[in-house]
Amino acid sequence: TIIDSKGRNRVLEVTRNVQMSSQTAAPGPITWTWNTPPNRVLLDVDDVPGATSYKWYLNGVLKATTTSSNYQLPMSGNVSCGNFYYFGVRAVSVCGTSAESYIGADMPPCGFSFKVSPNPSTDYVKIETNNEINATLSDKKTIEVQEIEIYDKTGIVKIRQKFGSGQTTANVSVAALPSDFYTLRIFDGQVWQSCKIIIQR
């Protein structure tokens, strides 16, 4: 209270504007790269403003907490043999922990003769022969990319493209495909090989 000019007690009201921060923003999207370094999956997200740490998950299980927005997740077993994984991350700040951002990752099958990147993709996928696998083949033949097909989950061919003889690398536009999981089939001139790709925007 205060005393006014006439000696009366008055209540002084003080108003303060307090800005409340909203809940911690969820990080994302997650990008991932397999086998850098060996038997690691490099997970990466953009920095979340105000985040002090990041919690990283594999198939819903917390694996590590880091102060940086990337993490080299150790993987065990034969990871590359067509296994499917969920990678997740939460941002932590003084306002709390964010909702989990996650991505499904389908590793290429063992003996797969090609490298497909980026996966997930937004506008194109690059297909190139996997020299590490091809060097182990008994006939040491040159693997080519002669034809590709991309199927949606219902089995409908969304993209079909042929390439010239002797081509070992191909870029395929997927800009017209909506975000979803797809099956990529690659013909090397003798057999078809398949893997899963993710279109994510």
Side-chain angles (χ1 to χ4, degrees), residues 168-196:
T168 58
T169 302
N171 287 311
V172 178
S173 174
V174 294
L177 297 177
S179 297
D180 210 340
F181 292 87
Y182 296 87
T183 298
L184 169 64
R185 297 182 70 228
I186 308 168
F187 185 59
D188 67 6
Q190 295 183 6
V191 297
W192 287 90
Q193 298 186 47
S194 301
C195 70
K196 299 291 185 183

Side-chain angles (χ1 to χ4, degrees), residues 20-193:
M20 299 297 292
S21 178
S22 61
Q23 183 181 5
T24 305
I30 301 172
T31 59
W32 64 274
T33 307
W34 159 240
N35 231 21
T36 54
N39 297 322
R40 299 285 191 277
V41 172
L42 176 61
L43 303 173
D44 188 46
V45 293
D46 290 337
D47 289 338
V48 174
T52 56
S53 63
Y54 298 84
K55 294 180 178 291
W56 301 94
Y57 299 83
L58 171 63
N59 296 332
V61 177
L62 178 64
K63 291 297 182 179
T65 301
T66 65
T67 56
S68 67
S69 58
N70 59 68
Y71 173 55
Q72 291 181 4
L73 171 65
M75 303 291 285
S76 60
N78 205 340
V79 176
S80 64
C81 287
N83 293 324
F84 187 82
Y85 300 93
Y86 275 103
F87 303 126
V89 62
R90 296 176 187 264
V92 180
S93 74
V94 294
C95 297
T97 302
S98 74
E100 184 177 354
S101 296
Y102 61 89
I103 189 169
D106 201 337
M107 300 297 173
C110 285
F112 193 60
S113 300
F114 303 95
K115 293 181 179 179
V116 178
S117 63
N119 190 10
S121 175
T122 56
D123 53 2
Y124 78 95
V125 290
K126 180 180 181 181
I127 303 165
E128 55 187 331
T129 56
N130 187 341
N131 294 326
E132 296 173 7
I133 294 294
N134 299 334
T136 65
L137 298 175
S138 58
D139 57 5
K140 305 295 185 193
K141 66 176 182 176
T142 299
I143 302 297
E144 299 178 359
V145 182
Q146 291 195 4
E147 186 176 353
I148 67 97
E149 295 176 341
I150 298 179
Y151 292 80
D152 67 12
K153 290 187 294 190
T154 66
I156 296 174
V157 177
K158 308 303 287 187
I159 296 175
R160 180 179 282 126
Q161 194 170 344
K162 293 187 177 182
F163 303 93
S165 179
Q167 191 161 335
T168 58
T169 302
N171 287 311
V172 178
S173 174
V174 294
L177 297 177
S179 297
D180 210 340
F181 292 87
Y182 296 87
T183 298
L184 169 64
R185 297 182 70 228
I186 308 168
F187 185 59
D188 67 6
Q190 295 183 6
V191 297
W192 287 90
Q193 298 186 47

